[in-house]
Amino acid sequence: MTWDILNVIGTMAFAISGAIVALEERYDLFGVYLLGFTTAFGGGLIRHVVLGLPVSEVWNQSMLFLIAFITLTLLFFIPFHWFLTGWAKWGAFFDSIGLSSFAVQGALFAVAAGYPLPAVIVGSVLTGTGGGMVRDVLAGRKPLVLHKEIYAMWAVLGALVIGVGLADEMVEYMILLTLIIALRMLSVIYDWHLPSRSDWLNFLRQIKNS
Amino acid sequence: MTWDILNVIGTMAFAISGAIVALEERYDLFGVYLLGFTTAFGGGLIRHVVLGLPVSEVWNQSMLFLIAFITLTLLFFIPFHWFLTGWAKWGAFFDSIGLSSFAVQGALFAVAAGYPLPAVIVGSVLTGTGGGMVRDVLAGRKPLVLHKEIYAMWAVLGALVIGVGLADEMVEYMILLTLIIALRMLSVIYDWHLPSRSDWLNFLRQIKNS
Amino acid sequence: MTWDILNVIGTMAFAISGAIVALEERYDLFGVYLLGFTTAFGGGLIRHVVLGLPVSEVWNQSMLFLIAFITLTLLFFIPFHWFLTGWAKWGAFFDSIGLSSFAVQGALFAVAAGYPLPAVIVGSVLTGTGGGMVRDVLAGRKPLVLHKEIYAMWAVLGALVIGVGLADEMVEYMILLTLIIALRMLSVIYDWHLPSRSDWLNFLRQIKNS
């Protein structure tokens, strides 16, 4: 039940993020649906494929498909400019709910299938960020996840906590989920970035000179 | 038998469209084969993977692989300029046969596997346009299907007709096929586009002002 | 055992090539891991998916994942400029070991699964070059394999030799492997390119005029 609510929020947030990229690229109505659905469902679908899980599970989520369809249709046709303005402000919060719940569930799928830690991390990262990567590639952009504030690392964190067995019941999952949302929002608010190599070399140089 | 003929036409048309992109990007002989085969077989392969169908079916089409290989080899080596000129004129027709027959067969695969409507649409769109999308991504281009005249929507139309059960015998499939080819050709000839969001907002503004 | 050693060399070389692209694009630490792992394991994973082989085989290579992780971590954090300079010189050699052993093993997977020649070629090319293609797409680049010195054709050559049954025991595989490495190195050293179509048309023109 809790997962269901989180999935609805995450699916809507991811669908909207796909649609916004399509609007920015001036893609047509089909492009809005394609990028919206790809962002919302692509990560889970790729996860199921690369982990060898039965893909029919992904297709039997008719309610989520319907919700994404309605969301994308409203977004395209209703001339609410305040929505897109508001999304620039609040979107990151809903997006981080999607990242967090998709990443945790992705890790749980890999664990349930008996896979070792690398697959748990891949399951988590792909579910949380795979849809967005496909979205960016189809829009001819470099994947955002590779160069903006810390994003995918929080999916990795979730995978590590679950993969080593630190969380294995619902209440622990919810704490982990909240933690990931909080860390993601802090990354956005304080513009946290992972170091690039030149950041790291500069850091070493400063230590040496001080 | 009818499907076989349509598949040969579609496979050749898609392979040629891949090869032409490779030539435009000045890719080498390998690039011509890679983009040609990817465009011709990529959609069907991705469909089989994401719908969880047995991929061996895709590989056991040796005749189609051979036909694509011969087509690509001739296209590359024979210095027939009239062919490429003619293709600019007639290519869209053969391409629309490929779109139409691949989309209808993609939808039928999803229906036969017992999937709900969203999967039927995805099966149809992926089979009809997936190869072209991979082609464009590998060529470093934005997928054509997202911003040129109406293309993928006709695959969606085919999927809807089949998914809701309006067509379920051969003669009906052939009527649907002809309809999709006709609609696609009309889209090319009259430059039909789906609206972008700014088209839609302009339209609303005109209504308001009139 | 021999395959194990070759796989370690190939995995390290491919991971490094992914990391270097990430550094060139100024991606952050996560980007280095993502492109590194994708380049090293992406080809084998895609091969298993499109040939319908059990993907769990790919995930149960914990030792290779660990080796790639250590390689990428050292590359990022140790300020050894001589390594990156040396890699520009020697990297192609290790990379060609990866290309060769991955291509041969990819072909063998397809043969073992009873697939016909086209699938053997795809298995070989995808394993040898698929990871690098995904790397380039995620970095917003045109796949190197499509326009630099002859690369993927040596994977095709390996697939043909194995697919038609010219090599089917270990000593023959090793000869084939060495041949592919040698041909790949000769391609780099003498800047061998496959012809583009304009090369071919020029060639025909020269024959005609002479």
Side-chain angles (χ1 to χ4, degrees):
Chain A
M1 183 59 206
T2 318
W3 286 130
D4 289 344
I5 296 171
L6 292 168
N7 281 343
V8 168
I9 297 173
T11 300
M12 290 174 70
F14 277 31
I16 292 170
S17 96
I20 286 175
V21 169
L23 295 184
E24 287 172 1
E25 297 288 331
R26 298 171 180 281
Y27 287 164
D28 62 24
L29 181 60
F30 176 77
V32 169
Y33 285 122
L34 184 87
L35 290 200
F37 278 105
T38 302
T39 314
F41 298 99
L45 188 55
I46 300 175
R47 171 202 64 216
H48 261 59
V49 167
V50 305
L51 294 183
L53 306 173
V55 286
S56 56
E57 292 175 2
V58 177
W59 298 111
N60 290 323
Q61 310 180 90
S62 291
M63 185 51 70
L64 283 182
F65 283 110
L66 186 63
I67 288 169
F69 179 76
I70 294 172
T71 304
L72 293 167
T73 305
L74 291 178
L75 185 73
F76 187 89
F77 285 107
I78 296 188
F80 283 171
H81 296 295
W82 56 259
F83 179 81
L84 290 174
T85 324
W87 187 258
K89 223 172 176 173
W90 293 98
F93 176 64
F94 296 107
D95 186 87
S96 71
I97 296 178
L99 167 68
S100 174
S101 70
F102 287 0
V104 169
Q105 289 176 81
L108 291 174
F109 270 114
V111 167
Y115 281 118
L117 192 58
V120 176
I121 295 173
V122 171
S124 169
V125 170
L126 269 182
T127 318
T129 74
M133 279 195 242
V134 178
R135 172 199 66 204
D136 291 340
V137 166
L138 288 181
R141 302 178 168 188
K142 294 189 188 176
L144 260 184
V145 69
L146 292 170
H147 56 93
K148 69 168 188 179
E149 332 87 44
I150 307 180
Y151 191 97
M153 278 308 287
W154 305 130
V156 174
L157 176 74
L160 289 175
V161 170
I162 289 171
V164 301
L166 278 179
D168 56 8
E169 49 181 291
M170 201 58 193
V171 61
E172 291 168 350
Y173 298 152
M174 289 304 126
I175 293 171
L176 179 60
L177 213 79
T178 314
L179 183 71
I180 295 174
I181 295 173
L183 287 168
R184 171 58 191 152
M185 288 313 293
L186 288 171
S187 309
V188 173
I189 294 169
Y190 294 105
D191 199 25
W192 287 352
H193 283 77
L194 285 176
S196 68
R197 190 160 192 263
S198 58
D199 294 333
W200 171 250
L201 295 180
N202 281 335
F203 173 73
L204 289 185
R205 217 165 291 135
Q206 283 171 7
I207 291 181
K208 209 169 146 188
N209 293 342
S210 64
Chain B
M1 184 59 207
T2 318
W3 286 130
D4 290 343
I5 295 172
L6 291 168
N7 282 343
V8 167
I9 297 173
T11 300
M12 290 175 70
F14 277 31
I16 291 170
S17 96
I20 286 175
V21 169
L23 294 184
E24 287 172 0
E25 298 287 333
R26 299 170 179 282
Y27 288 163
D28 62 23
L29 181 59
F30 176 77
V32 168
Y33 285 123
L34 184 86
L35 290 200
F37 279 106
T38 301
T39 314
F41 299 98
L45 187 55
I46 299 176
R47 171 203 64 217
H48 260 59
V49 166
V50 304
L51 294 183
L53 306 173
V55 287
S56 56
E57 292 175 3
V58 177
W59 298 112
N60 290 323
Q61 309 181 89
S62 291
M63 185 51 70
L64 284 182
F65 284 109
L66 187 63
I67 288 170
F69 179 76
I70 293 171
T71 304
L72 294 167
T73 306
L74 291 178
L75 185 73
F76 188 91
F77 285 107
I78 296 189
F80 283 170
H81 297 295
W82 56 258
F83 180 80
L84 290 174
T85 325
W87 187 257
K89 224 173 174 174
W90 293 99
F93 177 65
F94 296 107
D95 187 87
S96 71
I97 296 178
L99 168 68
S100 174
S101 71
F102 287 180
V104 169
Q105 288 176 83
L108 291 174
F109 270 115
V111 167
Y115 282 118
L117 193 58
V120 177
I121 296 173
V122 170
S124 169
V125 170
L126 270 181
T127 318
T129 73
M133 279 195 243
V134 177
R135 172 201 65 204
D136 291 340
V137 166
L138 288 180
R141 302 176 169 192
K142 294 189 188 176
L144 258 186
V145 68
L146 293 170
H147 58 92
K148 73 168 185 179
E149 332 86 45
I150 307 181
Y151 192 98
M153 276 310 286
W154 305 130
V156 174
L157 176 74
L160 289 175
V161 170
I162 289 171
V164 302
L166 277 178
D168 56 8
E169 49 181 291
M170 201 59 192
V171 60
E172 292 168 348
Y173 298 152
M174 288 305 125
I175 294 172
L176 180 59
L177 214 79
T178 314
L179 183 71
I180 295 174
I181 294 173
L183 287 168
R184 170 60 190 150
M185 287 314 292
L186 289 171
S187 309
V188 173
I189 294 169
Y190 294 105
D191 199 24
W192 287 352
H193 283 76
L194 284 176
S196 67
R197 189 159 193 264
S198 57
D199 294 334
W200 171 250
L201 295 181
N202 281 335
F203 173 73
L204 289 185
R205 218 166 289 136
Q206 283 171 6
I207 292 181
K208 209 168 145 187
N209 294 340
S210 64
Chain C
M1 183 58 205
T2 318
W3 286 131
D4 289 344
I5 297 171
L6 291 169
N7 280 343
V8 168
I9 298 172
T11 300
M12 290 174 72
F14 277 31
I16 291 170
S17 96
I20 286 175
V21 169
L23 295 184
E24 287 172 359
E25 297 287 332
R26 299 170 179 282
Y27 287 164
D28 62 25
L29 180 60
F30 176 76
V32 169
Y33 286 123
L34 184 87
L35 290 199
F37 278 106
T38 301
T39 314
F41 298 99
L45 187 55
I46 298 175
R47 172 202 64 217
H48 260 59
V49 167
V50 304
L51 294 183
L53 307 173
V55 287
S56 56
E57 292 175 4
V58 176
W59 298 112
N60 290 323
Q61 309 180 88
S62 291
M63 185 50 71
L64 283 182
F65 283 109
L66 187 64
I67 288 170
F69 179 76
I70 294 171
T71 304
L72 293 167
T73 306
L74 291 179
L75 185 73
F76 188 90
F77 285 106
I78 296 188
F80 283 172
H81 296 295
W82 55 259
F83 179 81
L84 291 174
T85 324
W87 187 257
K89 224 173 176 173
W90 293 100
F93 177 64
F94 295 107
D95 186 87
S96 72
I97 296 178
L99 168 68
S100 174
S101 71
F102 287 0
V104 169
Q105 289 176 83
L108 291 174
F109 270 114
V111 167
Y115 282 117
L117 192 58
V120 177
I121 295 173
V122 171
S124 169
V125 169
L126 269 183
T127 319
T129 73
M133 278 195 245
V134 178
R135 172 200 66 204
D136 291 340
V137 166
L138 288 181
R141 301 177 169 192
K142 293 189 189 176
L144 259 186
V145 69
L146 293 170
H147 57 93
K148 71 167 187 179
E149 331 87 44
I150 306 180
Y151 191 97
M153 278 309 287
W154 305 130
V156 175
L157 176 74
L160 288 175
V161 170
I162 289 172
V164 302
L166 277 178
D168 56 7
E169 50 180 289
M170 201 58 191
V171 61
E172 292 168 348
Y173 299 151
M174 289 304 126
I175 294 171
L176 179 59
L177 213 79
T178 314
L179 182 70
I180 295 175
I181 294 172
L183 287 168
R184 169 62 189 149
M185 289 313 293
L186 288 172
S187 309
V188 173
I189 295 168
Y190 295 105
D191 198 24
W192 286 353
H193 282 78
L194 284 176
S196 67
R197 189 160 193 263
S198 57
D199 294 334
W200 171 249
L201 295 181
N202 281 335
F203 174 72
L204 289 186
R205 218 166 290 134
Q206 283 171 9
I207 292 182
K208 209 168 145 187
N209 293 342
S210 64

